[in-house]
Amino acid sequence: MLQELSIKNFAIIDSIALSFEEGLTVLSGETGAGKSIIIDAIHLLVGGRGSSEFVRHGEKKAEIEGLFLFDDPHHPCYAKASEFGIDIEEGMIVLRRDISSTGKSVCRVNGKLVTIATMREIGSTLIDIHGQHEHQELMNEHLHLTLLDQFGGKDIASSLTAYLDVFDEYQTVSRQLKRLNENEQEMAHRLDLIQFQQKEIQDAELRLHEDDELQEEKLKLVNFEKLYEALQTSYDSLRGERKGMDWAGLAMGHLETAAEVDAQFGGTLESVSSAYYILEDAAHAIRAELDQLEFEPGRLDMIESRLNEINGLKRKYGSSIEEILAYGSRIEEEIETIINKDSHVQQLQDQLQSLENDLSVEAENLTIARKKWAKKLTVSIHEQLKQLYMDKTKFEVKFLTDGDAVNRKFKKEGWDEVEFYISTNPGEPLKPLSKVASGGELSRIMLALKTIFSKHQGITSIIFDEVDTGVSGRVAQSIAEKIYQVAVHSQVMCISHLPQVAAMADCHLFISKKQANGRTSTKVKRLEENEKIQEISRMISGVEITDLTLEHAKELLHLAGSIKET
């Protein structure tokens, strides 16, 4: 839901900060007070088209900021934000948009600079603004299939998952077959290239960890003199003129004499004896190493050459010998496939045909599930339209490819193409919803659809901008009840001139404008109970508030309370 909204220097708004609640919020006030300006600000906040004309006269920039909260960890905003590298913590997201007097926009989401397109994509998961004359989500026939799937819930989702499992494999095999059927000349060039690469790798006769072994040997050869001198000095210290071993042997002999006199020196003798024999073994080992050490000037050049060869292969085929050999295995399979292309093509064609048969079965099952839920949706829409006193209106979910095997194509969403059709007058043919006439009739149709889909769409907030224009009486009361029904599943904000709608509000905001120091500015006030009665009475009478209109307002509020309870 939209929790907080801050607007500064926007049109005739100087500075306002609004807090919103769950349920239905109604905005009312005199014409021109600035109700639609607030909705315009929200529209810009979620990526709407802006211009310098929105900046308050005399100011450098307009600032709009909104805080959205959602407690559903699977809310679509999470996935959309993640797509653009934006983190959402504790179910909070802040959108901010600054529009300069030159017309330049700066957009931020959770403090991160984003493009208007990115803000629009994220905003589409948060707010759906429905105005009487706007082209809305429900009017977009390309989204009707998605709406039907959302309405069908787990039933359609399970059929779609089964279809997608086969579809993914079908796509993989199709791509493999396409590559094999590509231009013969390109295929020949590809074969020449990978055969050359294979020969280069095979001729190198690489061994795993060979480069590490060569590096170790290179280190020894480069430091041969230092190594030889260190070993020679160590040996001389033990067996040479310094007589290290002789002195250790002398100490051991004297300790033997001491141990014969006093047994307590037995342990010391044992330690010195062990050290002596360990040193003796070490001296033999050092001598053996010295005897084997031999400097080969040509060997260092050979190692350098081999390492250069291995590094050259690494630059081409992988960062390690293991990756080079793995690449060699892959192109070996590819070479075999290209050389035996015809047999592989036949094999893939057979596999593709088998998958196509399986995919047709899953697509048909998906269509069956969708048709079942399309009938349920049709019944639900008719019920909603009847409650809006449009019982003569006909609604139908048309499957455009139904029975048309030629135009059926396997797509990610199946082979179905769905569009909502409607007829508002008896005897008139069903027409696409996107072609239906505008006006109060369209508002009621859209409201009926919203009542059905609001619980499935996952939109945080829905805004109705004067969708009740041109209706009155029992239709107005029905519209008020429908808007409240939508507010049960989503936060709803509604600009309305209908007292019936205002009476259903959980929160009523009164928009007014005042003049000070030669400037006009918009003010927003949250109405208390008595103030609601006054405002609804004004909406009933138009100008003069009488005792009768006050009683009528109280009656509407009482009726609204009873409806909410049921």
Side-chain angles (χ1 to χ4, degrees), residues 58-272:
E59 301 294 340
K60 292 183 178 180
K61 66 177 180 178
E63 303 173 16
I64 312 164
E65 191 169 36
L67 167 64
F68 294 83
L69 304 178
F70 30 80
D71 52 14
D72 179 6
H74 303 293
H75 192 282
C77 186
Y78 279 99
K80 187 60 68 175
S82 176
E83 183 180 331
F84 296 106
I86 297 170
D87 295 327
I88 298 178
E89 296 181 359
E90 299 179 358
M92 295 173 28
I93 190 166
V94 176
L95 272 57
R96 179 184 174 94
R97 185 167 181 184
D98 298 340
I99 303 175
S100 70
S101 56
T102 61
K104 182 180 178 181
S105 282
V106 177
C107 306
R108 289 183 174 87
V109 178
N110 276 358
K112 181 176 181 178
L113 284 169
V114 298
T115 64
I116 292 177
T118 298
M119 178 169 271
R120 187 180 301 121
E121 288 201 46
I122 293 174
S124 67
T125 67
L126 299 172
I127 294 230
D128 181 21
I129 300 177
H130 176 58
Q132 188 173 346
H133 302 290
E134 293 180 10
H135 185 73
Q136 292 301 307
E137 184 180 39
L138 290 174
M139 298 292 282
N140 185 350
E141 66 272 15
H142 300 295
L143 296 177
H144 291 177
L145 182 62
T146 301
L147 292 172
L148 175 61
D149 288 352
Q150 289 173 348
F151 181 74
K154 293 181 180 179
D155 189 14
I156 290 181
S158 62
S159 297
L160 182 58
T161 299
Y163 171 85
L164 285 173
D165 289 342
V166 182
F167 179 76
D168 290 341
E169 189 177 355
Y170 176 82
Q171 287 285 84
T172 301
V173 175
S174 295
R175 286 191 293 268
Q176 292 174 347
L177 187 59
K178 182 181 178 182
R179 281 197 299 269
L180 282 179
N181 286 326
E182 283 175 346
N183 185 286
E184 288 287 341
Q185 189 176 17
E186 291 180 5
M187 189 71 71
H189 288 164
R190 174 64 180 169
L191 182 60
D192 288 344
L193 172 64
I194 58 179
Q195 282 179 330
F196 169 80
Q197 292 174 340
Q198 183 191 40
K199 184 176 186 305
E200 188 175 28
I201 293 172
Q202 288 177 343
D203 289 347
E205 298 182 350
L206 297 172
R207 292 183 294 103
L208 286 176
H209 311 301
E210 179 184 359
D211 49 347
D212 295 332
E213 295 170 2
L214 290 172
Q215 287 288 1
E216 290 179 10
E217 188 178 355
K218 176 184 173 182
L219 182 63
K220 289 181 182 180
L221 290 173
V222 169
N223 295 281
F224 178 82
E225 290 184 6
K226 184 187 295 185
L227 176 63
Y228 185 87
E229 182 180 351
L231 291 175
Q232 187 64 57
T233 303
S234 298
Y235 184 77
D236 288 344
S237 298
L238 294 173
R239 287 294 189 186
E241 294 179 357
R242 299 178 186 178
K243 300 180 178 179
M245 292 299 298
D246 291 345
W247 287 109
L250 183 61
M252 183 171 63
H254 286 298
L255 281 171
E256 287 177 354
T257 301
E260 290 173 359
V261 176
D262 189 342
Q264 69 172 338
F265 294 107
T268 305
L269 172 61
E270 185 176 349
S271 298
V272 173

Side-chain angles (χ1 to χ4, degrees), residues 308-338:
N308 286 336
E309 180 183 8
I310 293 172
N311 289 332
L313 293 173
K314 284 182 179 180
R315 285 192 294 270
K316 294 179 182 180
Y317 309 121
S319 59
S320 66
I321 290 179
E322 186 175 11
E323 289 185 12
I324 296 170
L325 295 174
Y327 178 79
S329 297
R330 288 199 301 273
I331 61 174
E332 184 178 359
E333 293 177 5
E334 187 176 352
I335 290 169
E336 193 275 333
T337 299
I338 295 175

Side-chain angles (χ1 to χ4, degrees), residues 26 43 66 69 117 243 246 253 275 301 308 347 378 472 489 513 526 558:
V26 169
H43 189 257
L69 304 178
K243 300 180 178 179
D246 291 345
D301 292 338
N308 286 336
Q347 182 181 350
T378 300
S472 59
H489 302 286
K513 63 181 179 180
R526 176 172 177 155
H558 177 73

Side-chain angles (χ1 to χ4, degrees), residues 58 162 285 356 365 402 447 541 549:
E356 190 170 319
N365 290 338
D402 196 24
L447 190 53
S541 63
T549 57

